[in-house]
């Protein structure tokens, strides 16, 4: 039995204004029963403008989900027009921050150095980073998956002490699987997660790697969640489209919990 508690995270990307967020999280709160979250951690990652609304609702109604952000600055304050400080997120009770999502990397020029700096900024404020890595379709077809993952993991994690590594979340999100309806097979996801865990071992030893949670993301649904979560090294799911509506997201949370029932 693994010592890692699974984490199911809903990345809303640029969907749902704060009113829609309110409805979605309230709906989620009505659906989630104590048994659904007894063995699973859940986080929701709304747009920045929704965070305060979601935080207030979650606290008032004791909804069993953690607050997550989708990105933040690597600096705490300063002339950074349009950026959001990790300090502000921590102040809001944010527990998790997605760092280096492939959309930030490809659309907004976030390079490995920026990912490493942002990850450290999140840690400075005692939040948990969800560090995203993954290969493109072209890299996969050229047999470069492991090389790409190694470069991304080493750039982000090198130099972090074992206790910090053990508390991290890494999300394996193959870019070809994001928003395409074509999820990785459970076996491919498992192979990638095993490889990523071996990289964490390289950086911080077995003790750390045994505790690091590694999520899979890319076209996750209530249907494929069970197969993915049945794999021993897949410790959770980072869900885009299927996290936008409470019924579908609840199905994924329940499928995850069912895999962890002893
Ligand atoms: P989809 O679940 O919509 O494929 O998105 C995955 C993702 O990018 C989550 O961060």
């Amino acid at each position: 039995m693994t010592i890692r508690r699974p984490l199911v995270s809903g990345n809303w990307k640029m969907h749902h204004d704060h009113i829609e967020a309110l409805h979605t999280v309230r709906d989620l709160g009505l659906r989630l029963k104590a048994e659904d979250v007894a063995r699973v951690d859940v986080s929701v990652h709304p747009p920045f403008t929704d965070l305060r609304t979601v935080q207030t609702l979650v606290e008032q109604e004791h909804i069993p989900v953690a607050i997550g952000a989708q990105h933040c600055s690597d600096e705490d304050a300063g002339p950074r027009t349009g950026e959001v400080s990790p300090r502000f997120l921590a102040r809001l009770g944010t527990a998790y921050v997605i760092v280096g999502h492939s959309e930030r990397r490809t659309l907004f020029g976030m390079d490995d150095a920026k990912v490493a700096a942002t990850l450290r900024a999140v840690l400075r404020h005692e939040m948990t980073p969800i560090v995203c890595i993954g290969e493109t379709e072209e890299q996969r077809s050229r047999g470069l998956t492991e090389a790409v993952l190694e470069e991304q993991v080493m750039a982000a994690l090198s130099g972090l002490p074992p206790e910090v590594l053990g508390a991290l979340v890494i999300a394996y999100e193959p870019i070809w699987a994001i928003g395409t309806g074509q999820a990785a097979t459970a076996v491919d996801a498992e192979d990638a997660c095993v490889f990523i865990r071996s990289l964490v071992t390289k950086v911080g030893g077995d003790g750390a790697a045994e505790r690091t949670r590694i999520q899979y993301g890319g076209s996750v649904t209530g249907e494929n969640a069970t197969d993915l979560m049945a794999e021993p090294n897949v410790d959770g799911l980072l869900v885009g489209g299927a996290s936008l509506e409470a019924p579908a997201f609840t199905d994924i949370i329940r499928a995850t919990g069912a895999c962890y029932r002893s």
Side-chain angles (χ1 to χ4, degrees), residues 9-13 98 101-103 132 171 173-175 177-182 216-221 237-244:
S9 304
N11 174 11
W12 292 3
K13 308 191 180 182
I98 296 171
H101 190 280
S102 64
E103 287 150 18
C132 298
E173 293 211 306
I175 293 170
I178 295 178
T180 59
Q182 187 204 343
Y216 166 79
S219 297
V220 172
T221 63
L237 302 164
L238 181 52
V239 187
S243 72
L244 291 174

Side-chain angles (χ1 to χ4, degrees), residues 64-87:
V65 303
I67 309 292
Q70 300 176 15
H71 172 68
C72 70
S73 173
D74 59 334
E75 312 232 9
D76 291 354
R80 298 286 182 273
T81 303
E83 285 285 88
V84 171
S85 163
R87 187 175 76 79

